[in-house]
Structures are given as C-alpha cells and as structure tokens.
Amino acid sequence: MVPMVSEEVREAIAAGRPVVALESTIIAHGLPRPRNLRVALELEAAVRQEGAVPATIAVLDGRPRIGLDEEQLERIGSGEGIRKLGHRDLPLVAAAGASGATTVSATALLAALAGIRVFATGGLGGVHREWTVTQDESADLGLLARTRITVVCAGVKSILDVPATLQRLETLGVAVAGYGTDRFPGFYLSDSGHPVDWRLDTPEQVAQVMRAQDALGGPESALIVAHPVAEDEQLDPGVHARVLDEALRACAAEGVTGQGVTPFLLDHLVRHTDGASLAANLAAVRGNVRLAARVASAWAAGE
C-alpha cells in the first residue's frame, strides 16, 4: 500500500519547500454539500496564500492519495461510498479497493510516511466522558504518541473530557504547547478552562521545537500546537455550556453509545446553536491552516 503522492506535493517535498497536510473527513463527513467542496478549496487556497503547498489526504479505490486535484476533492465531497477512515482502517480499505476520507490519525500517519512534517486540523479526538465506564478513547492519541508530526489544532473537541485527555497526552509523552496562549483551547472555545505548561508565540519557535525533537532522537512522538479560535469568533461560552448539557442528556436518553456519541453530540450542537458551532469550527480550521503554513515555512527555512 504505497501512497500515491501528487506531482506538486512530491516536487515540493523533494525541494524542501513547505507542505501542509490536510484531512479529508471535514469534506466528506463534516459539512453539508456543496459547502464542503467550497471549504476544501478555500483551505487549500489559504495554504497557498501563505506560501506553502496543500496536501489533502484521502484513499481512493484502495490507494492512499497525498494531494488531491479538484476532481478527486469533488469525489470525496460527494459522499457516495466514502467511508470514514482511522489509521486502523487503512489496510482494510486498501485490500477492499474501497474509498474513504481520512481522520486525524489516518492523515497524520500517511503524511508522516510521505515525509510531510506539518498537519493542520480542527480539533483532536481524545478521552470521552465517562471513560471509566466506556473505556472510549480516540485512536488519535495513541497514533500521535508514535508519529513524528506537528499538528496545529484548536485543542480537542469540547464534548470530550478535556482534563483527562491532557493527562493522557502527558502519559503518552506527546508534547503540547499553546500558541500565543497559556490556556488549552476547547475547539469551539478559546479557553477550555485548563492551562498548558508551555507556550510558543511564533512559527519560528515552533520550528525550533521540531528541530530539537529531531536532535534529541527520542521517541517518534508528535508536537501538538494548540491554537485557539479568536475570542470574537468562538461559540458563546454560555450557549456552549447549555446546549452541550442538553446534548449529553439527549444522548443518554436515546441510548446512543460507542462511535455514535461524537457525531450525535456535534450534530446536536450545530442544530441547537443555529449553526454558530459550525461557524466557530470553520473559523478555527481556517486559522489553523494559515498558522500551519507559516510553521511549515519556518521549518523549511531550516534556520
């Protein structure tokens, strides 16, 4: 299962130019059609505007693709036969010759295999609420503990158990730094209510940490750059708290469990905030994509 790297991305990697990996789940499963394709093209354009090359990642007909053209983006955005893929699904989808959109874990793995060091996304998965009962934890965490990649994100999804996720990242040895903040962001929210131990304020500082990771030669773990959504673009914290509480109670009442919990809660937030949660989500992703391109440029500069 050798990934197919687009000519543009392959040439950029070979020349040492900045490249930013982008996941495809937001295209296939995160947004309604046709808005999903417009957003996908917008995010790629934002990477280019910052001087980097976008590498949206997906699996088409059993073959991982690193860098998609517009026709391939349209195919992913159509949703027809497009599965949602974590890294554990990659050998299965390859053997079946099927197609799918990559989540954080699959995107990070494929990006690293292709030699891409920087990845931009919205929010990470993490430890789910009531973990002691469900033992439900995102595969993102374990994969990031053994994959050398820098992930620019808006923290973890606020529907999760944020302090437990931070503790789990510490246990796994995954480095976490706030970007321009001493607080860990909460995806829709600028501040999850929890601090971070380290703060970075420029793309150059992030690149210095990446070089230090390589120089130390320790475990091949990730660097999480937690970049908060701007306060004037976040979901109103009061609305967030009220609607999330309603969503959790509805989830329990309807007996939703396992993999169905996260999409249920996210859908409830979108519907019961009149789309404000989706707007905050997109604002966070746009900011992360631009920052990731600047980080990739600082990394490529090699100073």
Side-chain angles (χ1 to χ4, degrees), residues 1-294:
M1 187 181 66
V2 178
M4 295 185 67
V5 183
S6 73
E7 182 178 359
E8 180 187 25
V9 173
R10 184 174 63 252
E11 290 179 353
I13 294 172
R17 296 198 302 272
V19 179
V20 175
L22 303 171
E23 66 170 282
S24 50
T25 295
I26 190 173
I27 308 170
H29 304 289
L31 294 168
R33 297 189 292 273
R35 188 178 186 183
N36 56 351
L37 180 59
R38 292 198 301 269
V39 169
L41 295 171
E42 175 194 342
L43 296 178
E44 290 206 344
V47 172
R48 297 185 194 282
Q49 288 165 8
E50 296 293 340
V53 172
T56 302
I57 295 176
V59 178
L60 293 174
D61 302 319
R63 196 75 181 270
R65 301 272 181 166
I66 315 295
L68 305 181
D69 59 29
E70 188 166 346
E71 182 179 340
Q72 291 166 336
L73 286 171
E74 289 178 355
R75 184 175 169 189
I76 289 293
S78 73
E80 296 177 7
I82 303 299
R83 300 179 67 107
K84 186 175 181 179
L85 306 175
H87 70 280
R88 70 168 189 167
D89 302 307
L90 293 176
L92 295 162
V93 72
S99 300
T102 53
T103 62
V104 166
S105 67
T107 305
L109 176 60
L110 291 171
L113 290 174
I116 300 171
R117 189 62 181 269
V118 181
F119 166 34
T121 187
L124 299 180
V127 177
H128 287 246
R129 294 166 187 258
E130 299 186 353
W131 180 87
T132 55
V133 176
T134 65
Q135 300 288 292
D136 193 354
E137 173 185 313
S138 171
D140 294 355
L141 305 186
L143 189 282
L144 294 176
R146 56 184 185 272
T147 305
R148 182 58 54 82
I149 196 162
T150 295
V151 184
V152 180
C153 63
V156 300
K157 296 179 176 67
S158 53
I159 60 174
L160 302 172
D161 188 329
V162 177
T165 300
L166 286 170
Q167 180 60 56
R168 186 71 176 130
L169 287 167
E170 179 182 344
T171 300
L172 291 169
V174 179
V176 179
Y179 188 87
T181 181
D182 299 305
R183 311 292 294 175
F184 190 68
F187 190 43
Y188 300 122
L189 306 175
S190 299
D191 182 355
S192 69
H194 302 278
V196 288
D197 294 327
W198 297 95
R199 172 176 174 151
L200 301 169
D201 291 298
T202 67
E204 290 72 24
Q205 288 179 346
V206 178
Q208 287 172 0
V209 175
M210 294 164 65
R211 295 186 192 102
Q213 282 183 309
D214 292 348
L216 285 168
E220 292 289 310
S221 57
L223 168 63
I224 294 175
V225 179
H227 180 225
V229 64
E231 286 191 17
D232 61 354
E233 293 182 304
Q234 71 175 337
L235 180 61
D236 179 87
V239 172
H240 175 272
R242 174 179 57 79
V243 176
L244 179 56
D245 180 65
E246 294 171 355
L248 290 167
R249 285 189 278 112
C251 189
E254 295 186 27
V256 179
T257 59
Q259 290 186 332
V261 172
T262 294
F264 179 91
L265 295 177
L266 293 177
D267 178 67
H268 189 100
L269 280 167
V270 171
R271 289 186 291 107
H272 293 271
T273 61
D274 295 324
S277 66
L278 180 58
N281 179 353
L282 291 176
V285 173
R286 291 183 183 107
N288 294 342
V289 163
R290 291 190 177 278
L291 174 57
R294 294 170 192 149

